[in-house]
Structures are given as structure tokens and as C-alpha cells.
Amino acid sequence: RTSCHVLFHFAGLGCGTLAVLEQNEAGIVLLRSFDWNDGLFDVTWSENNENMLITCSGDGSLQIWDMAKTKGPLQVYKEHTLEAYSVDWSQTRGEQLVVSGSWDQTAKLWDPAVGKSLCTFKGHEAVIYSTIWSPHIPGCFASASGDQTLRIWDVKTPGVKLVIPAHQAEVLSCDWCKYDENLLVTGAVDCSLKGWDLRNIRQPVFVLLGHTYAIRRVKFSPFHATILASCSYDFTVRYSIFS
């Protein structure tokens, strides 16, 4: 069996590398490597083309790459005025849309077939660290920010749909449960993970502690409804079970 993975690298001199890796019986091998002239902060696969990826960069741009090509990128979109820190490709397959989040406090909606953004979402009062599509609801995405909030957006309307005061610290990551369209998790500088039910946001449905430094990324398991993983600046990866 083989599987593909992507790795993006930020170098101290300001250049970035996108590496596409394959895991097979012989181990992990490098399939493709692409360089960009600024740090790459996030990467996402296309949901309908196994060779397509999008990265986002410290110069505020998004880059579309084709693994079948030796050079790239195929396209560059540059509208964010500060670092583009997060990018995600829609998962519902009924649409082919990309959302990006930036240090300029905006999220932008993109169609890879169109050369400019379709819409800009404003409302956050600080850096956007994470943007993630709902795997259940077409046109719905969440964003996490340094303004301590988790926000829910609908691409059919320009304004924010829901504002959740998630932590009393910067929120660095969020993710949507693959088994429950109303359940999200946030990870923050306060070292905690919190679960949120969109039907009742007055208090979290769970709080998980254990990390000793800020939580950089949190992801729900695609295989188990009550398992999630988190990685932190305390140099640990933790697996948690909630109920």
C-alpha cells in the first residue's frame, strides 16, 4: 500500500518549500519538491484532483501546484495584505471552493477556476490563524482568531453567522467533527481544548487540559467520533477521548 503526504517548510532566510512525500514498503520517499520565495504556512489538497494542492504564504499569496508538473506554481493569487496563514479546500464535493485566512484579519473565498477572490469576510478583530470548511454543510466554514473567538460563516451571506467567545486567549486552531455537523473543537494559547455545540454556545461541551504551552493544531479523527489529536509548542502530540 502507498499513501501520499505533504510537508511545507519555512526557512529562516524567508524561502519556503512544498514537499510531496510517498509512504510505501520501502519507507518514505520524496515525490516532488517545489520552492517559493517566502515562507509557506499551510497546505491543502484538492478534493477532486489528486495532483492539485494549494499553499499559502508569508507574502499574502496563495499558490496552486500540480504534482504532475515539474515546475510551478500554476497560478498565484495575491490579495491579502499581510501573511496568509490558513487555507482549506471545501470537502462537500458539491462545490470546489477554497477559503483562506490572514493576518490582515480577513478570510477570502476563492474558486480555483477564477483568477480573483469571490468574496472577502470581515469581522475578526485580530489575526486569523485557522479557517476550516464544514465537512457536512455546503458553503459553511469556521475561523479561529487572535481576538479569542471562533466564528461561523456562510458564503451566501457576507456577514458572520455566529460568534463564539471561545477562550480568554488567542485561538490558534479549530476543527469540525466528521460525525456531528454541530460539533467543533478549538485549541488556544491558554493550553486548553474546548468543544462547542453550535446549538448551544453558552458553555463548551468539553474542556481538555494537559498541554503546558499553546496548542498549535487540533484535528478530529476521521475514523472515531470521540477521538482528537493536538500538537503544542510544548513539543508533544496528545490523543484525547471526550464524551
Side-chain angles (χ1 to χ4, degrees):
R1 298 178 61 185
T2 63
S3 59
C4 280
H5 309 270
V6 291
L7 176 70
F8 52 96
H9 173 66
F10 173 69
L13 295 178
C15 60
T17 300
L18 170 66
V20 182
L21 311 174
E22 182 179 48
Q23 181 177 353
N24 54 34
E25 292 80 1
I28 297 177
V29 297
L30 180 67
L31 290 182
R32 292 284 188 276
S33 178
F34 302 100
D35 292 329
W36 186 244
N37 56 15
D38 210 317
L40 298 176
F41 291 146
D42 203 3
V43 61
T44 182
W45 288 97
S46 165
E47 289 291 324
N48 71 337
N49 185 328
E50 64 180 0
N51 290 317
M52 287 291 190
L53 306 99
I54 295 184
T55 52
C56 62
S57 157
D59 61 7
S61 68
L62 279 65
Q63 306 82 28
I64 296 183
W65 309 89
D66 187 343
M67 262 200 338
K69 309 290 185 183
T70 57
K71 295 182 179 180
L74 296 180
Q75 296 185 60
V76 177
Y77 305 130
K78 191 176 189 312
E79 293 186 23
H80 286 297
T81 58
L82 294 174
E83 288 89 334
Y85 205 68
S86 175
V87 64
D88 194 36
W89 207 306
S90 59
Q91 303 176 43
T92 56
R93 296 185 185 271
E95 59 202 359
Q96 291 302 313
L97 298 174
V98 171
V99 64
S100 61
S102 170
W103 290 12
D104 66 12
Q105 305 181 14
T106 70
K108 287 183 178 289
L109 179 69
W110 309 84
D111 181 340
V114 179
K116 61 181 180 179
S117 65
L118 305 179
C119 186
T120 299
F121 298 88
K122 299 179 180 180
H124 278 296
E125 298 174 1
V127 172
I128 296 177
Y129 289 111
S130 180
T131 48
I132 184 79
W133 287 104
S134 167
H136 312 279
I137 308 167
C140 182
F141 70 91
S143 59
S145 169
D147 65 11
Q148 307 181 1
T149 67
L150 171 71
R151 300 185 184 224
I152 310 299
W153 309 81
D154 185 336
V155 300
K156 296 185 290 294
T157 59
V160 65
K161 184 177 180 181
L162 189 62
V163 179
I164 301 171
H167 296 258
Q168 292 184 327
E170 289 190 295
V171 187
L172 302 185
S173 183
C174 63
D175 194 32
W176 224 295
C177 180
K178 310 302 186 291
Y179 295 87
D180 186 340
E181 68 178 33
N182 293 301
L183 182 62
L184 294 97
V185 63
T186 52
V189 171
D190 64 8
C191 310
S192 72
L193 298 168
K194 293 185 179 182
W196 300 97
D197 187 327
L198 298 183
R199 296 165 297 188
N200 183 1
I201 62 171
R202 287 176 294 178
Q203 60 184 14
V205 293
F206 64 80
V207 178
L208 300 174
L209 304 174
H211 282 294
T212 56
Y213 282 94
I215 295 168
R216 175 64 185 88
R217 185 65 64 91
V218 59
K219 297 295 288 185
F220 276 104
S221 168
F223 304 105
H224 302 281
T226 59
I227 296 179
L228 54 83
S230 56
C231 61
S232 164
Y233 289 110
D234 64 12
F235 305 115
T236 68
V237 175
R238 296 177 184 247
Y239 299 91
S240 306
I241 300 175
F242 61 92
S243 58

